Amino acid sequence: MSTTRNRGSLPTSALDCHLSNAIWRRSRVVPTATISPNSVLIRSLSPDDIVVYIPNHIIVYRDGRDEKLVDCDTTPAGVDPSSGVQSKGVVILPDAPLSARLYIPKPQNHLVKKLPLLFFYYGGGFICGTAAEPNMHNFLNLIVAESNAMIVSVDYRTVPDNHIPTAYDNSWEAIKWAAQHVDGNGPESWLNEYADLGHVFFVGDSSGANIAHQMAIRAGSENMGGSINLEGIILLHPFFWGTTSVGSEDLDPAFIEYMEMIWTFDYPETCGLDDPFLNPAMDPKLLNLGGSKEFIYVAELDNLRNRGWYYKYILDQSGCKGKINVIEDKGVRHVYFLSDPSLESARAMRTNISTFINT
């Protein structure tokens, strides 16, 4: 059975919260309660059959099977007929396995100079999604066409087969792999021919924005030998949290419980919601953040909204010297721009991304 739905497009269901909590008490394993994927689906399942139920993310059955509930569809790489953007899959580490999807603009757009290089990390709570998910693929086609940039969309490995820190380690391996192309003699021809490794950005949505932040910390902490110059990071509706409310947060206890449960599922060895991986304010390496500028997008109707604003605050308070800009879109929810790319706010976001990376 396959349930095909998109992140951020569904209403919160109190019924599913109660069902999820009931399963949790019975199984003593971490499920969670948040946006409902399908109430009928859950009613058809016995708690005896389920180890973990995370609405809008995953069901793990007692026999060891798991069923991911969103962003399950895939679309092939190739030439986008509307923009002429080309994409293809590449293998980075065969044994991991670790792969990526590369994007370049229509050929006549990049004959004069090499292109800004964006490393993109998809969201999905570290559980769902792939680099081949259709909405993500379409979004990146638009970014490439409108920004005249090249993208490495990293297909990092996800939970439950690969718990955190695998997603971070995979993402760093992809950066190191791309760094091999600094002299134009690496293993991938597109990177050799088109990528400007002196003009690099880390970008992600939701949990992918969390990864982009962590990659910037690593880039500022570890010696890359001058092979890659990180100019900045772009965080779209970043997945951050913590034990203390920030800003105007006054959230339903079920959502707070959800955050704790999903994070524990992602990272069983975590120290909790103030883990530096989840709460940047608790990271002693925060001042190592690489890049000279940060661009953060938040959404008015997103429960994670205040965390994006708080991210700017803690960077300002820490003495971060980079230029930090936050834009809040009104009347929209978490990662709305993936399912509704034609909205004026989504188009404005892409324009602002293009300006950010090209100036």
Side-chain angles (χ1 to χ4, degrees):
M1 176 176 59
S2 175
T3 304
T4 303
R5 295 179 183 272
N6 298 316
R7 290 175 288 129
S9 61
L10 302 167
T12 300
S13 166
L15 171 62
D16 284 320
C17 291
H18 294 312
L19 287 167
S20 181
N21 289 339
I23 293 169
W24 175 51
R25 295 187 194 101
R26 186 157 184 173
S27 68
R28 299 178 183 273
V29 181
V30 181
T32 184
T34 179
I35 302 168
S36 165
N38 191 332
S39 298
V40 175
L41 171 64
I42 299 307
R43 291 192 187 103
S44 69
L45 297 172
S46 164
D48 291 329
D49 298 328
I50 299 170
V51 176
V52 177
Y53 165 48
I54 303 180
N56 210 33
H57 284 81
I58 193 170
I59 298 172
V60 180
Y61 299 97
R62 195 165 298 280
D63 63 7
R65 293 176 299 122
D66 66 72
E67 181 181 357
K68 298 189 179 184
L69 302 174
V70 294
D71 297 347
C72 303
D73 288 348
T74 61
T75 192
V79 178
D80 177 48
S82 63
S83 66
V85 169
Q86 299 177 64
S87 59
K88 69 176 179 179
V90 295
V91 175
I92 295 174
L93 293 175
D95 295 336
L98 175 61
S99 62
R101 181 168 288 195
L102 307 185
Y103 295 79
I104 56 172
K106 191 174 181 179
Q108 60 261 36
N109 292 343
H110 54 80
L111 294 178
V112 177
K113 62 179 182 178
K114 290 198 172 184
L115 306 171
L117 180 63
L118 280 59
F119 289 87
F120 195 94
Y121 309 101
Y122 61 84
F126 296 97
I127 299 169
C128 302
T130 71
E133 193 278 322
N135 282 346
M136 182 59 62
H137 177 73
N138 293 338
F139 176 68
L140 296 186
N141 278 328
L142 290 169
I143 294 292
V144 169
E146 295 170 15
S147 299
N148 201 37
M150 179 177 181
I151 287 181
V152 176
S153 180
V154 182
D155 206 9
Y156 62 87
R157 292 176 292 167
T158 54
V159 176
D161 294 329
N162 299 277
H163 291 285
I164 289 173
T166 299
Y168 302 125
D169 293 339
N170 282 179
S171 298
W172 188 244
E173 287 297 328
I175 294 168
K176 292 196 297 182
W177 170 78
Q180 300 175 44
H181 301 78
V182 65
D183 294 323
N185 58 3
E188 170 47 49
S189 61
W190 279 13
L191 282 166
N192 289 330
E193 185 172 355
Y194 303 123
D196 181 355
L197 294 179
H199 194 34
V200 170
F201 297 85
F202 298 161
V203 191
D205 76 291
S206 194
S207 55
N210 176 302
I211 294 173
H213 161 76
Q214 287 297 326
M215 294 306 98
I217 294 286
R218 286 201 186 186
S221 304
E222 302 185 21
N223 182 12
M224 295 291 290
S227 56
I228 283 183
N229 176 48
L230 175 64
E231 290 198 9
I233 59 176
I234 303 171
L235 309 184
L236 308 177
H237 305 178
F239 178 79
F240 297 137
W241 202 250
T243 57
T244 303
S245 295
V246 300
S248 59
E249 280 179 353
D250 183 20
L251 299 173
D252 188 292
F255 183 81
I256 297 172
E257 180 184 25
Y258 151 67
M259 292 297 292
E260 182 174 11
M261 289 179 176
I262 195 171
W263 180 247
T264 306
F265 180 71
D266 287 342
Y267 189 22
E269 297 180 2
T270 185
C271 62
L273 292 180
D274 283 328
D275 192 301
F277 281 148
L278 187 61
N279 186 350
M282 298 298 176
D283 192 344
K285 295 183 178 180
L286 184 64
L287 275 178
N288 293 346
L289 188 74
S292 61
K293 54 184 181 178
E294 292 82 36
F295 189 21
I296 304 141
Y297 254 94
V298 298
E300 181 186 18
L301 304 182
D302 184 2
N303 283 334
L304 301 178
R305 166 190 175 272
N306 287 288
R307 296 293 160 169
W309 283 108
Y310 186 56
Y311 182 76
K312 172 178 167 54
Y313 171 80
I314 61 175
L315 289 181
D316 286 338
Q317 292 298 112
S318 69
C320 176
K321 298 179 181 179
K323 182 180 179 181
I324 308 163
N325 188 34
V326 181
I327 292 179
E328 178 173 331
D329 283 330
K330 303 299 182 181
V332 290
R333 300 185 182 276
H334 191 62
V335 298
Y336 76 93
F337 49 86
L338 294 178
S339 56
D340 294 314
S342 63
L343 287 179
E344 179 58 36
S345 55
R347 291 197 296 267
M349 171 188 284
R350 298 195 302 271
T351 298
N352 287 329
I353 290 173
S354 177
T355 300
F356 182 80
I357 67 176
N358 287 298
T359 57

